[in-house]
Amino acid sequence: MLHSKHALLATGVTGVIGQRISKECSSVSYRNFLSSGKLDGSLEYLNGTLIHLAGVVGESLINADPQSALRVNLEGVLDFAHALEARGLRRFVFVSSSHVYGSSELAISEDHALRPFNNYGRLKVRGERALRLAFLKSSMDIRIVRPFSILGHGMPEFSLHGAVIRSQNRGEIIQNSLDQRDFLTPEVMGQRILQLSLVKPDLNSITVNACSGISRTVEEAAIRLIESYGLEEGRLSFDFKTSTNAKIIGNPRFQNHLLAHASF
């Protein structure tokens, strides 16, 4: 268990990642804030850290209602952060995404050029930049964590988990199966985000990848996933192709440096 001297809070604790850290954090309802414009008065925010996981996730949901996604993933985030600043929050952790990067033959460091390849990634880039600018001179620290791919049970329909289940049950072909990605399980990713949110409390305005640095093809990851479910891999179908974003692998060097100097 991780310990913090001050309040540790999180939004989105009912999500796949949020569930993995819910026991460590007090839950803050971002949905209620968006509807009322008010924070939960029963919680302590002074000098605390809040991990912002809530939002519209996935390209299909972003494109289904772009205006709502803009409000939830950008405009509302700024309003939320300002309200927390007024309550004395010490650190706002914005959970971004590896979707802010494009494909790269080299492992991707935090200073890699931002080339988001979909609208979800573009909103994340806008959120990162807007927060940095809005709180440039604030006493509240903005910390940005960029998770790479997540592989495991309970992931949304649009994830590799969903593609594996559809291929297993309906014979659908898993697309872009030769793409290379950097996968962590939901359990590991949850703890990684939690650790990176708390490490180096005196270090401000950092951006850090949450990744493994290990390359696996979508095919390899799908087989590993289906084996973990106790099902037969022979029923999976693959296209054995790559997309225009064939390789997105994180460079974990800065992440590992931070964690090596942690005192959890």
Side-chain angles (χ1 to χ4, degrees):
M1 178 177 290
L2 303 181
H3 298 279
S4 175
K5 294 179 181 178
H6 304 291
L8 179 58
L9 311 107
T11 64
V13 298
T14 61
V16 175
I17 301 303
Q19 291 177 40
R20 271 69 182 185
I21 65 171
S22 61
K23 292 181 179 179
E24 308 276 359
C25 306
S26 297
S27 175
V28 178
S29 176
Y30 182 53
R31 183 188 299 272
N32 288 349
F33 175 81
L34 288 177
S35 62
S36 69
K38 298 179 181 179
L39 295 170
D40 185 340
S42 67
L43 295 174
E44 177 60 54
Y45 302 95
L46 185 63
N47 292 322
T49 293
L50 182 136
I51 303 170
H52 185 52
L53 288 161
V56 181
V57 180
E59 188 69 359
S60 59
L61 292 178
I62 295 288
N63 293 335
D65 192 344
Q67 288 304 310
S68 176
L70 181 68
R71 172 60 184 156
V72 173
N73 285 15
L74 179 60
E75 297 168 348
V77 174
L78 289 172
D79 293 342
F80 188 48
H82 278 298
L84 290 161
E85 178 192 34
R87 296 291 292 272
L89 192 77
R90 168 70 181 89
R91 171 170 294 137
F92 184 90
V93 181
F94 182 65
V95 180
S96 184
S97 171
S98 63
H99 285 242
V100 302
Y101 303 119
S103 183
S104 173
E105 283 303 309
L106 301 176
I108 298 171
S109 299
E110 290 81 2
D111 59 357
H112 189 85
L114 301 185
R115 296 193 300 268
F117 53 90
N118 56 26
N119 289 325
Y120 176 66
R122 293 182 190 101
L123 267 182
K124 286 296 188 182
V125 169
R126 291 177 66 184
E128 289 186 15
R129 290 174 174 169
L131 284 166
R132 285 277 185 243
L133 182 61
F135 295 92
L136 186 62
K137 298 181 179 180
S138 171
S139 60
M140 185 176 76
D141 175 41
I142 301 297
R143 180 167 292 192
I144 294 168
V145 179
R146 294 172 176 162
F148 277 66
S149 300
I150 303 171
L151 182 71
H153 181 71
M155 292 297 292
E157 178 73 12
F158 58 78
S159 70
L160 181 56
H161 162 78
V164 164
I165 297 303
R166 291 193 300 275
S167 184
Q168 178 78 10
N169 294 340
R170 304 202 295 264
E172 287 189 17
I173 295 173
I174 296 175
Q175 302 294 314
N176 305 317
S177 61
L178 297 183
D179 279 1
Q180 298 174 60
R181 293 293 184 263
D182 184 327
F183 291 99
L184 289 174
T185 66
E187 292 78 14
V188 172
M189 184 63 79
Q191 287 304 303
R192 189 69 49 84
I193 290 171
L194 190 60
Q195 292 168 343
L196 292 172
S197 298
L198 295 176
V199 70
K200 291 283 187 179
D202 57 336
L203 189 60
N204 294 338
S205 301
I206 66 172
T207 298
V208 57
N209 292 334
C211 61
S212 70
I214 299 171
S215 173
R216 289 193 179 91
T217 66
V218 169
E219 179 193 6
E220 291 169 340
I223 291 172
R224 174 174 291 206
L225 188 62
I226 207 71
E227 288 176 345
S228 74
Y229 295 164
L231 301 174
E232 297 179 13
E233 66 176 81
R235 295 184 63 181
L236 297 179
S237 300
F238 302 98
D239 66 355
F240 301 107
K241 296 179 181 179
T242 59
S243 70
T244 55
N245 294 287
K247 187 175 182 180
I248 303 176
I249 309 300
N251 184 332
R253 182 165 50 189
F254 183 48
Q255 165 200 266
N256 293 346
H257 169 75
L258 291 175
L259 296 178
H261 293 82
S263 57
F264 300 126

